[in-house]
């Protein structure tokens, strides 16, 4: 690059000051915007114009000036900026994030002033999630997950819970410009997988997922006898009582009959050829040694004499007047 004397530089600066009046019709067009770090950006004038002299500046700093075919590049841009002395187009090589700004070209011959804004962004790489613990207790622990990148500028963050976007709420907070996810008092449904998506105008990236192991329960217990909800069985039946509880890790299950523990553990209690003496309350006791919580459920099983056909009829005959009476009492108020 040719050096020009300080005198010429002064003339160029003077021309610059005089050329402040805008021509209006000419616009600056960047070859790329936003640009990535390392790109070369050319700022051309449109419509193309022949400029005998002029200058380029960004914000308050001058980049270069030219007069005829001589150009002077300011030291902080030396080796990186050049102008096409015929068209006034500025080329800036190896741009950095700091090169973002409003680029202004001024000329006195012809008189014009025009500008364009350029944004230089660093592409995103290596999106990483960090969390201080993944083993959590339902309703007791809070989860804190932080999303970060090795490089990237002007970032926006989006959190995913499985395939749906995480929505902020009372217990779900997005802070630090959405780069931190906090789930207060986790529930069993918050196991994830959670991932973080990071965007800027030139790139995007997604983290590996994080899962939480959430201890909960036991609760929502249920009992069935021979796969049914009915609890009345004839003498001599074989009964399989099945107990379930929602619990993580799985609950230890024990059984009690009339309040006394029986020598059976696990989800199944089997009773063979039951007699009437087996009527009574059966309880299933659940304990989660991780949450240190317990729960229980009780059902009353009736062991009955099998009804003969005639007995069944007798019952119906006895019930009939009763049913009629009930119906009468219900209808009575309406008839008055
Ligand atoms: C850029 O140009 C616009 C429109 O001509 C003008 O409003 C704005 O002030 C200019 N900005 C600078 C920094 O020169
Ligand atoms: C990705 O980021 C993590 C955490 O910030 C760091 O330990 C790791 O070295 C990075 N990997 C690369 C390839 O930059
Ligand atoms: C993890 O962070 C949360 C919130 O800052 C805190 O309550 C919890 O004690 C931390 N756990 C560990 C293992 O550091
Ligand atoms: C979290 O649980 C604690 C203790 O059970 C309670 O005081 C607090 O209000 C809960 N916070 C939210 C956001 O539910
Ligand atoms: C954070 O994310 C929400 C959407 O979940 C969005 O509306 C908001 O603008 C984001 N905030 C920042 C600082 O990016
Ligand atoms: C994650 O998704 C599940 C449903 O799949 C939902 O119940 C849970 O509340 C969500 N958790 C967060 C923190 O978004
Ligand atoms: C993420 O970047 C890739 C190219 O790296 C692009 O194909 C894709 O459309 C981008 N996704 C979004 C949601 O911007
Ligand atoms: C997280 O959970 C999902 C299913 O919910 C599973 O497919 C995935 O392998 C788990 N990831 C890790 C890192 O444990
Ligand atoms: C037993 O009753 C519960 C609700 O009380 C119901 O959810 C369940 O489906 C029933 N099971 C059978 C086998 O009828
Ligand atoms: C009850 O179980 C016993 C022993 O398994 C079996 O011999 C018997 O046939 C069963 N009775 C009924 C009614 O299924
Ligand atoms: C319970 O059963 C175990 C073996 O299954 C036996 O060793 C133990 O003596 C039994 N205890 C009672 C009180 O029946
Ligand atoms: C069963 O649960 C009730 C509360 O639902 C509790 O008061 C009782 O002590 C429990 N019984 C056993 C044997 O744990």
């Amino acid at each position: 690059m040719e050096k020009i004397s300080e005198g010429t530089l002064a003339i160029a600066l003077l021309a610059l000051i005089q050329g402040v009046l805008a021509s209006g019709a000419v616009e600056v067009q960047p070859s790329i915007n936003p640009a990535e770090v390392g790109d070369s950006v050319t700022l051309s004038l449109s419509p193309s114009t022949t400029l005998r002299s002029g200058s380029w500046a960004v914000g308050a700093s001058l980049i270069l000036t030219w007069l005829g075919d001589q150009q002077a590049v300011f030291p902080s841009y030396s080796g990186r900026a050049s102008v096409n002395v015929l068209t006034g187009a500025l080329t800036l090589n190896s741009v950095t994030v700091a090169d973002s700004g409003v680029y202004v070209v001024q000329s006195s011959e012809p008189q014009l002033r025009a500008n364009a804004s350029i944004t230089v962004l660093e592409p995103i790489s290596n999106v990483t999630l960090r969390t201080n613990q993944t083993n959590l207790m339902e309703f007791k622990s809070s989860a804190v997950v932080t999303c970060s990148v090795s490089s990237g500028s002007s970032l926006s963050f989006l959190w995913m819970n499985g395939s749906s976007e995480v929505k902020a709420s009372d217990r779900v907070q997005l802070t630090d410009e959405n780069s931190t996810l906090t789930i207060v008092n986790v529930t069993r449904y918050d196991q994830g997988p959670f991932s973080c998506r990071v965007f800027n105008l030139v790139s995007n990236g997604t983290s590996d997922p994080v899962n939480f192991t959430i201890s909960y329960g036991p609760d929502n217990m249920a009992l069935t006898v021979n796969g049914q909800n009915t609890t009345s069985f004839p003498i001599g039946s074989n009964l399989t009582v099945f107990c379930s509880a929602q619990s993580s890790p799985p609950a230890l299950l024990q059984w009690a009959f009339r309040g006394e523990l029986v020598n059976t553990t696990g989800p199944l209690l089997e009773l063979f050829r039951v007699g009437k003496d087996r009527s009574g309350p059966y309880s299933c006791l659940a304990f989660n040694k991780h949450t240190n919580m317990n729960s229980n459920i009780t059902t009353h099983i009736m062991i009955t004499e099998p009804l003969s056909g005639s007995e069944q009829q007798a019952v119906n005959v006895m019930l009939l007047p009763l049913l009629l009476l009930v119906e009468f009492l219900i209808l009575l108020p309406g008839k008055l």
Side-chain angles (χ1 to χ4, degrees):
M1 206 165 304
E2 256 181 281
K3 291 273 179 213
I4 53 176
S5 76
E6 278 178 24
T8 3
L9 191 63
I11 291 165
L13 282 170
L14 195 63
L16 183 159
I17 291 155
Q18 287 168 338
V20 162
L21 298 170
S23 87
V26 175
E27 284 180 5
V28 175
Q29 283 190 341
S31 56
I32 327 170
N33 188 39
E36 277 183 32
V37 166
D39 281 349
S40 288
V41 182
T42 297
L43 295 157
S44 315
L45 300 184
S46 169
S48 68
T49 314
T50 307
L51 301 179
R52 225 184 77 73
S53 68
S55 73
W56 277 99
V58 57
S61 30
L62 276 165
I63 301 167
L64 54 75
T65 65
W66 78 99
L67 179 61
D69 60 1
Q70 308 276 298
Q71 54 182 295
V73 179
F74 281 76
S76 50
Y77 287 90
S78 94
R80 200 156 91 70
S82 62
V83 69
N84 178 323
V85 294
L86 295 178
T87 63
L90 172 73
T91 298
L92 208 54
N93 295 316
S94 311
V95 293
T96 67
V97 173
D99 288 323
S100 301
V102 178
Y103 285 76
V104 182
V105 62
Q106 299 197 28
S107 164
S108 50
E109 290 178 63
Q111 225 173 48
L112 70 82
R113 178 192 169 102
N115 71 56
S117 172
I118 304 267
T119 306
V120 182
L121 297 171
E122 200 167 6
I124 291 159
S125 71
N126 192 19
V127 180
T128 311
L129 289 187
R130 249 182 324 112
T131 185
N132 63 356
Q133 53 181 6
T134 54
N135 291 311
L136 305 171
M137 196 88 82
E138 187 178 46
F139 307 130
K140 295 210 168 85
S141 334
S142 295
V144 181
V145 199
T146 305
C147 184
S148 62
V149 297
S150 290
S151 66
S153 59
S154 299
L155 305 174
S156 48
F157 295 85
L158 181 68
W159 290 87
M160 300 301 290
N161 172 8
S163 56
S164 47
E165 193 184 324
V166 171
K167 296 266 182 289
S169 67
D170 282 354
R171 53 175 213 99
V172 182
Q173 296 155 9
L174 295 171
T175 52
D176 301 334
E177 297 182 326
N178 294 342
S179 69
T180 299
L181 168 68
T182 305
I183 309 167
V184 181
N185 298 350
V186 294
T187 71
R188 64 194 67 182
Y189 308 107
D190 292 329
Q191 68 186 42
F194 292 99
S195 60
C196 165
R197 290 187 185 168
V198 189
F199 300 86
N200 64 17
L201 288 167
V202 296
S203 64
N204 62 65
T206 303
S207 71
D208 285 340
V210 159
N211 290 351
F212 291 109
T213 304
I214 297 163
S215 308
Y216 58 86
D219 54 24
N220 293 311
M221 293 186 70
L223 275 186
T224 58
V225 187
N226 290 358
Q228 300 162 11
N229 279 341
T230 50
T231 54
S232 200
F233 295 90
I235 287 175
S237 304
N238 290 343
L239 304 183
T240 300
V241 192
F242 174 71
C243 174
S244 64
Q246 288 182 6
S247 179
S248 177
L252 303 172
L253 300 176
Q254 277 194 296
W255 293 90
F257 175 54
R258 293 180 183 146
E260 299 285 330
L261 282 178
V262 299
N263 199 6
T264 303
T265 58
L268 292 179
L269 176 66
E270 294 193 286
L271 304 170
F272 295 101
R273 297 196 196 89
V274 288
K276 268 188 158 176
D277 61 338
R278 297 302 202 84
S279 291
Y282 286 81
S283 302
C284 173
L285 313 174
F287 176 65
N288 179 330
K289 62 180 193 289
H290 221 265
T291 61
N292 202 30
M293 292 196 293
N294 59 62
S295 179
N296 63 68
I297 186 171
T298 298
T299 191
H300 288 262
I301 296 179
M302 286 285 294
I303 309 300
T304 55
E305 298 281 1
L307 293 177
S308 70
S310 60
E311 280 169 326
Q312 189 87 50
Q313 241 165 15
V315 170
N316 287 348
V317 167
M318 274 165 62
L319 280 176
L320 194 60
L322 194 63
L323 286 173
L324 286 175
L325 180 64
V326 168
E327 202 166 307
F328 174 73
L329 288 173
I330 290 169
L331 291 175
L332 202 53
K335 286 189 174 160
L336 286 175

